[in-house]
């Protein structure tokens, strides 16, 4: 199923056997819950025990759109869909094809990102086919995803506080226009080990990784170029901002641009990670984006793709 964020692998959220098949097709750990998709705010209430006023204000402001809100689940959501948790993340996607599919199904659709577990999320139907050919019955074509990174996932700590568990196109700055307090969970910017108890199970798994080794490099354009000067050679490549390209070319550095704005980098980052493998790159050095606005979402995906190999140039 195409959505405005990434393609999802959709099934009946209330059918444990269907959900089991989605976990199997992805190779996803059973403790990592699925997001449930609706196409009308009215479809939310039956899935949760209660909708606090702050949650409703956030939904009214940001839905349909790339925001997932976690609340305690009702019995309508089977345990397997929730990864064994007593909560459920719900989202009302903005993509017209996603909305049409949920409407046609007449039921909420559980949908994790459509990649094989551990791979970059799919932002085109071709990515879906590469990961899922022979494992699922069909892919619905919906064009390239506009956002390119998955939805912002939030939980409510209390009536006033929003906790960001996964950053996305709905930024902490956006959330602050509705909520008094917005906290970015410490796992968003730091490494979480496999045995840590986290608020969102997806935080602890290795993610988004191409076959190539990935190093994330922080610093200015000049610092990045200086750092790369003695790291050139066979199978080595830099992923840089569009504006870095002239200097890279001048320095004879093999470089690929991944966008000039945070939004452009978000839209292209997963496709770029996939492309590296097709190009036979063995080690990629990525110029790190900023960590505010949508940049936080891109940075969060890249530190995971890099397995937390982050260097300050
Ligand atoms: O944009 C998106 O959210 C896409 C499209 C298809 O809607 N879906 C997606 O699903 O990214 P997935 O399963 O790849 O990522 C869901 C993330 C995981 O990190 C999971 O741990 C977290 O959200 N999550 C889901 N339900 C949760 C819950 N009840 N409590 C805590 N974390 C939850
Ligand atoms: Mg995913």
């Amino acid at each position: 199923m195409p959505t405005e964020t990434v393609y999802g692998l959709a099934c009946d959220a209330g059918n444990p056997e269907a959900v089991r098949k989605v976990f199997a097709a992805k190779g996803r750990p059973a403790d990592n819950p699925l997001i449930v998709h609706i196409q009308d705010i009215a479809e939310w209430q039956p899935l949760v025990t209660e909708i606090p006023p702050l949650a409703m204000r956030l939904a009214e402001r940001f839905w349909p759109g790339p925001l997932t809100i976690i609340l305690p689940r009702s019995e309508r959501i089977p345990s397997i869909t929730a990864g064994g948790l007593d909560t459920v993340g719900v989202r009302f996607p903005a993509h017209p094809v996603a909305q049409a599919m949920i409407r046609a199904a007449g039921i909420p659709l559980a949908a994790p990102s459509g990649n094989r577990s551990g791979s970059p999320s799919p932002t085109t139907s071709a990515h879906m086919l590469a990961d899922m050919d022979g494992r699922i019955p069909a892919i619905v074509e919906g064009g390239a995803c506009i956002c390119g990174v998955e939805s912002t996932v939030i939980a409510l700590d209390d009536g006033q506080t929003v906790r960001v568990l996964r950053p996305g196109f709905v930024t902490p700055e956006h959330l602050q226009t509705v909520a008094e307090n917005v906290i970015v969970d410490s796992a968003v910017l730091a490494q979480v080990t496999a045995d840590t108890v986290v608020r969102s199970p997806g935080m602890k798994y290795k993610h988004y990784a191409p076959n190539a080794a990935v190093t994330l490099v922080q610093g200015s354009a000049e610092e990045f170029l200086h750092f790369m000067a003695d790291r050139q050679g066979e199978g080595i490549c830099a992923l840089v901002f569009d504006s870095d390209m002239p200097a890279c070319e001048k320095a004879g550095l093999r470089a690929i641009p991944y966008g000039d704005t945070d939004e452009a980098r978000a839209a292209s980052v997963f496709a770029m990670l996939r492309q590296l493998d097709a190009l036979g790159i063995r080690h990629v050095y990525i110029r790190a984006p900023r960590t505010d606005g949508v940049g936080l979402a891109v940075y969060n995906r890249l530190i995971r793709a890099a397995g937390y190999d982050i260097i300050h140039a």
Side-chain angles (χ1 to χ4, degrees):
M1 173 173 76
T3 83
E4 73 277 27
T5 57
V6 300
Y7 276 72
L9 199 53
C11 72
D12 177 354
N15 181 334
E17 182 53 20
V19 172
R20 193 193 58 72
K21 287 182 181 169
V22 163
F23 274 91
K26 271 184 73 76
R28 183 176 179 111
D31 71 348
N32 199 1
L34 307 187
I35 291 172
V36 176
H37 298 69
I38 57 176
Q39 54 90 40
D40 190 320
I41 290 189
E43 294 170 2
W44 192 16
Q45 180 67 76
L47 309 178
V48 296
T49 57
E50 185 196 350
I51 301 175
L54 175 58
M56 188 51 87
R57 286 205 305 279
L58 290 161
E60 283 168 349
R61 169 71 180 76
F62 296 110
W63 284 356
L67 179 69
T68 297
I69 303 176
I70 295 173
L71 289 175
R73 67 179 161 98
S74 73
E75 322 81 89
R76 292 274 194 104
I77 301 295
S79 173
I80 183 175
T81 308
L85 299 176
D86 49 19
T87 55
V88 63
V90 175
R91 148 167 145 75
F92 175 177
H95 198 294
V97 176
Q99 292 179 4
M101 287 177 69
I102 303 163
R103 203 172 309 124
I107 42 167
L109 297 182
S113 54
N115 53 290
R116 295 288 293 275
S117 208
S119 294
S121 292
T123 55
T124 65
S125 58
H127 299 159
M128 281 295 315
L129 194 62
D131 276 21
M132 289 295 161
D133 195 13
R135 304 181 70 86
I136 60 170
I139 299 164
V140 176
E141 177 61 68
C145 301
I146 287 171
C147 299
V149 289
E150 309 88 338
S151 62
T152 304
V153 176
I154 61 167
L156 304 187
D157 278 8
D158 58 47
Q160 270 85 49
T161 306
V162 169
R163 178 177 294 269
V164 177
L165 301 177
R166 182 176 70 181
F169 259 65
V170 176
T171 64
E173 295 85 342
H174 292 146
L175 294 164
Q176 257 147 13
T177 65
V178 176
E180 249 169 70
N181 306 312
V182 177
I183 297 169
V184 176
D185 196 275
S186 58
V188 166
L189 284 172
Q191 181 164 16
V192 174
T193 52
D195 52 2
T196 313
V197 176
V198 291
R199 296 286 298 269
S200 182
M203 289 172 164
K204 69 187 178 199
Y205 293 110
K206 181 162 181 178
H207 259 130
Y208 315 124
N211 295 323
V214 179
T215 302
L216 193 61
V217 185
Q218 294 178 321
S220 67
E222 296 73 40
E223 289 164 332
F224 182 84
L225 272 175
H226 188 253
F227 172 85
M228 289 304 295
D230 51 2
R231 284 183 177 75
Q232 305 188 32
E234 172 94 32
I236 294 178
C237 168
L239 199 60
V240 300
F241 301 171
D242 292 17
S243 53
D244 300 335
M245 284 304 284
C248 290
E249 272 156 26
K250 211 168 144 210
L253 176 65
R254 183 174 185 192
I256 304 174
Y258 76 115
D260 228 7
T261 61
D262 291 327
E263 286 75 11
R265 288 188 278 272
S268 74
V269 66
F270 287 139
M272 287 301 173
L273 290 175
R274 283 175 182 262
Q275 201 190 328
L276 295 170
D277 287 338
L279 291 172
I281 302 298
R282 285 185 293 104
H283 198 147
V284 60
Y285 293 88
I286 304 180
R287 171 121 190 265
R290 300 178 342 173
T291 55
D292 59 350
V294 173
L296 179 65
V298 182
Y299 186 87
N300 168 265
R301 304 320 189 268
L302 286 176
I303 59 176
R304 283 163 176 75
Y308 303 96
D309 183 14
I310 307 163
I311 286 176
H312 299 264

